Amino acid sequence: MTYGSTALRRAVLLANQMIPKAGLAQLTWGNVSGVDREAGLYVIKPSGVAYDDLTEDHLVPVDLETGKVLDGDLRPSVDSESHRAFYLAWPSIGGVTHTHSTHAVAFAQANRDVPVLGTTHADTFDGPVPVTRTLTPEECATDYELNTGRVIVERIGDDEAAAGMPAALVANHGPFTWGATPLKSVEHGIILEAVAEMALKTLALNPGASTPAHLQERHFKRKHGPGAYYGNAPRK
Protein backbone atom coordinates (compact mmCIF):
# COMPACT_ATOMS: atom_id res chain seq x y z
CA MET A 1 0.00 0.00 0.00
CA THR A 2 1.23 3.47 -0.91
CA TYR A 3 0.37 6.21 1.55
CA GLY A 4 -0.19 9.62 -0.01
CA SER A 5 -1.52 10.17 -3.50
CA THR A 6 0.75 10.37 -6.52
CA ALA A 7 -0.24 14.02 -6.93
CA LEU A 8 0.69 14.86 -3.33
CA ARG A 9 4.01 13.05 -3.52
CA ARG A 10 4.84 14.78 -6.79
CA ALA A 11 3.98 18.19 -5.35
CA VAL A 12 6.10 17.60 -2.25
CA LEU A 13 9.04 16.32 -4.31
CA LEU A 14 8.97 19.36 -6.62
CA ALA A 15 8.67 21.71 -3.65
CA ASN A 16 11.70 20.15 -1.92
CA GLN A 17 13.69 20.41 -5.13
CA MET A 18 12.91 24.13 -5.20
CA ILE A 19 14.87 24.70 -1.97
CA PRO A 20 18.40 24.36 -3.44
CA LYS A 21 17.33 25.94 -6.75
CA ALA A 22 16.22 29.04 -4.85
CA GLY A 23 19.34 29.08 -2.70
CA LEU A 24 17.38 28.63 0.52
CA ALA A 25 19.58 25.97 2.08
CA GLN A 26 23.07 24.49 2.06
CA LEU A 27 23.58 20.71 2.05
CA THR A 28 20.29 19.20 3.36
CA TRP A 29 19.30 22.10 5.62
CA GLY A 30 15.66 22.32 4.61
CA ASN A 31 12.47 20.33 4.16
CA VAL A 32 8.94 20.57 2.77
CA SER A 33 5.82 18.60 3.57
CA GLY A 34 2.29 18.40 2.18
CA VAL A 35 -0.88 17.20 3.88
CA ASP A 36 -3.81 15.00 2.81
CA ARG A 37 -6.44 15.79 5.41
CA GLU A 38 -8.99 13.27 4.14
CA ALA A 39 -6.42 10.49 4.50
CA GLY A 40 -5.21 11.87 7.84
CA LEU A 41 -1.55 12.01 6.84
CA TYR A 42 1.23 14.18 5.49
CA VAL A 43 4.32 13.31 3.46
CA ILE A 44 7.67 14.90 4.18
CA LYS A 45 11.29 14.82 3.06
CA PRO A 46 13.34 12.09 4.76
CA SER A 47 16.10 13.12 7.13
CA GLY A 48 19.51 13.75 5.59
CA VAL A 49 18.74 12.70 2.00
CA ALA A 50 20.36 14.99 -0.59
CA TYR A 51 17.96 16.94 -2.81
CA ASP A 52 19.62 15.60 -5.97
CA ASP A 53 18.98 12.03 -4.82
CA LEU A 54 15.40 12.59 -3.68
CA THR A 55 12.56 10.70 -5.37
CA GLU A 56 8.85 10.33 -4.68
CA ASP A 57 9.53 6.92 -3.17
CA HIS A 58 11.84 8.45 -0.57
CA LEU A 59 9.11 10.69 0.86
CA VAL A 60 7.93 9.59 4.28
CA PRO A 61 4.19 9.31 5.12
CA VAL A 62 3.32 10.36 8.68
CA ASP A 63 0.06 9.95 10.59
CA LEU A 64 -1.37 13.40 11.24
CA GLU A 65 -2.81 12.54 14.65
CA THR A 66 -0.03 10.43 16.14
CA GLY A 67 3.12 11.51 14.30
CA LYS A 68 4.00 7.88 13.57
CA VAL A 69 5.61 6.83 10.29
CA LEU A 70 3.10 4.84 8.25
CA ASP A 71 5.36 3.09 5.78
CA GLY A 72 8.96 2.55 4.70
CA ASP A 73 12.30 2.35 6.49
CA LEU A 74 13.39 5.99 6.20
CA ARG A 75 13.11 8.42 9.08
CA PRO A 76 11.24 11.65 8.37
CA SER A 77 12.88 15.03 8.68
CA VAL A 78 13.77 15.78 12.28
CA ASP A 79 11.42 18.77 11.94
CA SER A 80 8.42 16.55 11.20
CA GLU A 81 6.73 17.23 14.53
CA SER A 82 6.96 20.99 13.94
CA HIS A 83 5.15 20.52 10.63
CA ARG A 84 2.52 18.39 12.34
CA ALA A 85 1.87 21.11 14.93
CA PHE A 86 1.02 23.56 12.13
CA TYR A 87 -1.32 21.14 10.36
CA LEU A 88 -3.18 20.45 13.58
CA ALA A 89 -3.49 24.15 14.45
CA TRP A 90 -4.33 25.57 11.03
CA PRO A 91 -6.89 23.60 8.95
CA SER A 92 -6.53 25.80 5.86
CA ILE A 93 -2.84 25.16 5.16
CA GLY A 94 -1.67 22.44 2.80
CA GLY A 95 2.12 22.71 2.90
CA VAL A 96 4.97 23.66 5.23
CA THR A 97 8.57 24.63 4.49
CA HIS A 98 11.54 24.97 6.83
CA THR A 99 14.94 26.26 5.72
CA HIS A 100 18.07 27.89 7.08
CA SER A 101 18.23 30.69 4.51
CA THR A 102 20.97 33.13 5.42
CA HIS A 103 19.23 36.46 5.91
CA ALA A 104 16.11 35.08 7.57
CA VAL A 105 18.32 33.13 9.98
CA ALA A 106 20.24 36.33 10.75
CA PHE A 107 17.03 37.92 12.03
CA ALA A 108 16.16 34.75 13.99
CA GLN A 109 19.59 34.68 15.62
CA ALA A 110 19.25 38.37 16.49
CA ASN A 111 15.83 37.62 18.02
CA ARG A 112 14.35 40.33 15.84
CA ASP A 113 11.20 40.50 13.70
CA VAL A 114 11.71 41.20 10.01
CA PRO A 115 10.28 44.74 9.78
CA VAL A 116 8.07 46.06 7.01
CA LEU A 117 10.33 48.55 5.24
CA GLY A 118 8.70 48.60 1.82
CA THR A 119 5.99 47.38 -0.48
CA THR A 120 7.79 44.17 -1.49
CA HIS A 121 7.32 42.90 2.06
CA ALA A 122 3.75 44.21 2.33
CA ASP A 123 2.67 42.41 -0.83
CA THR A 124 2.87 39.07 1.01
CA PHE A 125 3.10 39.59 4.76
CA ASP A 126 0.49 41.54 6.73
CA GLY A 127 2.97 43.13 9.11
CA PRO A 128 6.46 42.33 10.41
CA VAL A 129 7.42 38.67 10.17
CA PRO A 130 7.53 37.73 13.86
CA VAL A 131 10.18 35.95 15.85
CA THR A 132 9.09 33.60 18.63
CA ARG A 133 10.12 33.61 22.24
CA THR A 134 13.05 31.42 23.19
CA LEU A 135 12.14 27.86 24.11
CA THR A 136 12.52 26.98 27.78
CA PRO A 137 14.97 24.30 28.99
CA GLU A 138 11.98 22.03 29.60
CA GLU A 139 10.65 22.57 26.05
CA CYS A 140 14.07 21.73 24.63
CA ALA A 141 14.49 18.64 26.81
CA THR A 142 11.19 16.97 25.86
CA ASP A 143 9.26 17.09 22.57
CA TYR A 144 11.66 19.73 21.25
CA GLU A 145 10.47 19.71 17.62
CA LEU A 146 6.80 19.67 18.59
CA ASN A 147 7.40 22.56 20.98
CA THR A 148 9.19 24.42 18.20
CA GLY A 149 5.98 24.26 16.21
CA ARG A 150 3.91 25.19 19.22
CA VAL A 151 5.82 28.41 19.94
CA ILE A 152 5.15 29.50 16.37
CA VAL A 153 1.44 28.73 16.72
CA GLU A 154 1.51 30.62 20.02
CA ARG A 155 3.13 33.62 18.29
CA ILE A 156 0.95 33.61 15.14
CA GLY A 157 -2.49 32.76 16.51
CA ASP A 158 -5.44 31.14 14.76
CA ASP A 159 -6.01 29.91 11.21
CA GLU A 160 -7.08 33.33 9.94
CA ALA A 161 -3.95 34.93 11.36
CA ALA A 162 -1.79 32.24 9.75
CA ALA A 163 -3.28 33.11 6.36
CA GLY A 164 -2.25 36.76 6.71
CA MET A 165 1.18 35.93 8.10
CA PRO A 166 2.42 32.74 6.41
CA ALA A 167 5.87 32.88 8.01
CA ALA A 168 7.65 33.08 11.33
CA LEU A 169 11.14 32.88 12.76
CA VAL A 170 12.03 30.57 15.62
CA ALA A 171 14.35 32.45 17.97
CA ASN A 172 18.00 31.43 17.49
CA HIS A 173 16.96 28.88 14.88
CA GLY A 174 15.39 29.93 11.59
CA PRO A 175 12.33 30.38 9.37
CA PHE A 176 9.22 28.30 8.84
CA THR A 177 6.71 29.19 6.13
CA TRP A 178 3.39 27.68 5.09
CA GLY A 179 0.72 27.98 2.45
CA ALA A 180 -2.23 26.41 0.68
CA THR A 181 0.08 23.97 -1.13
CA PRO A 182 3.63 22.66 -0.66
CA LEU A 183 4.87 24.85 -3.52
CA LYS A 184 3.15 27.93 -2.07
CA SER A 185 4.91 27.33 1.24
CA VAL A 186 8.28 27.33 -0.57
CA GLU A 187 7.29 30.48 -2.43
CA HIS A 188 6.70 32.17 0.89
CA GLY A 189 10.14 30.99 2.01
CA ILE A 190 11.69 32.55 -1.09
CA ILE A 191 9.88 35.84 -0.46
CA LEU A 192 10.84 35.84 3.21
CA GLU A 193 14.51 35.40 2.41
CA ALA A 194 14.35 38.18 -0.20
CA VAL A 195 12.68 40.71 2.10
CA ALA A 196 14.97 39.78 5.00
CA GLU A 197 17.98 40.58 2.79
CA MET A 198 16.37 43.84 1.67
CA ALA A 199 15.64 44.77 5.29
CA LEU A 200 19.22 44.17 6.42
CA LYS A 201 20.58 46.33 3.58
CA THR A 202 17.98 49.03 4.19
CA LEU A 203 18.78 49.18 7.90
CA ALA A 204 22.48 49.40 7.10
CA LEU A 205 21.78 52.51 4.99
CA ASN A 206 19.16 53.98 7.30
CA PRO A 207 18.69 52.43 10.77
CA GLY A 208 15.53 54.49 11.24
CA ALA A 209 13.81 53.40 8.02
CA SER A 210 10.06 52.70 8.08
CA THR A 211 7.03 52.46 5.79
CA PRO A 212 3.70 54.26 6.33
CA ALA A 213 0.92 51.98 7.57
CA HIS A 214 -1.50 53.11 4.86
CA LEU A 215 0.97 52.08 2.14
CA GLN A 216 1.52 48.68 3.76
CA GLU A 217 -2.23 48.10 3.96
CA ARG A 218 -2.81 49.12 0.34
CA HIS A 219 -0.22 46.70 -0.97
CA PHE A 220 -1.37 43.76 1.14
CA LYS A 221 -5.06 44.21 0.33
CA ARG A 222 -4.57 44.56 -3.40
CA LYS A 223 -3.27 40.96 -3.44
CA HIS A 224 -5.28 39.42 -0.57
CA GLY A 225 -8.88 39.40 0.59
CA PRO A 226 -12.23 40.16 -1.05
CA GLY A 227 -11.05 43.34 -2.74
CA ALA A 228 -7.87 41.86 -4.26
CA TYR A 229 -7.26 42.71 -7.90
CA TYR A 230 -3.68 41.53 -8.50
CA GLY A 231 -3.13 38.84 -11.16
CA ASN A 232 -5.47 36.94 -13.45
CA ALA A 233 -7.57 33.81 -13.23
CA PRO A 234 -5.91 30.67 -14.67
CA ARG A 235 -6.65 30.15 -18.35
CA LYS A 236 -8.33 26.91 -19.35
Side-chain angles (χ1 to χ4, degrees), residues 130-213:
V131 65
T132 69
R133 62 174 174 81
T134 301
L135 273 73
T136 66
E138 293 76 18
E139 288 170 328
C140 288
T142 304
D143 296 328
Y144 168 64
E145 289 80 13
L146 183 59
N147 288 326
T148 296
R150 284 171 173 166
V151 295
I152 287 183
V153 173
E154 173 189 289
R155 185 69 175 83
I156 294 295
D158 62 14
D159 194 49
E160 183 178 357
M165 180 52 64
L169 308 174
V170 179
N172 307 111
H173 185 165
F176 283 83
T177 55
W178 47 88
T181 65
L183 191 58
K184 197 68 177 177
S185 73
V186 177
E187 180 181 309
H188 290 150
I190 293 169
I191 296 168
L192 174 57
E193 174 60 13
V195 299
E197 181 177 7
M198 292 174 192
L200 282 169
K201 292 180 177 179
T202 301
L203 292 171
L205 290 167
N206 179 6
S210 64
T211 299

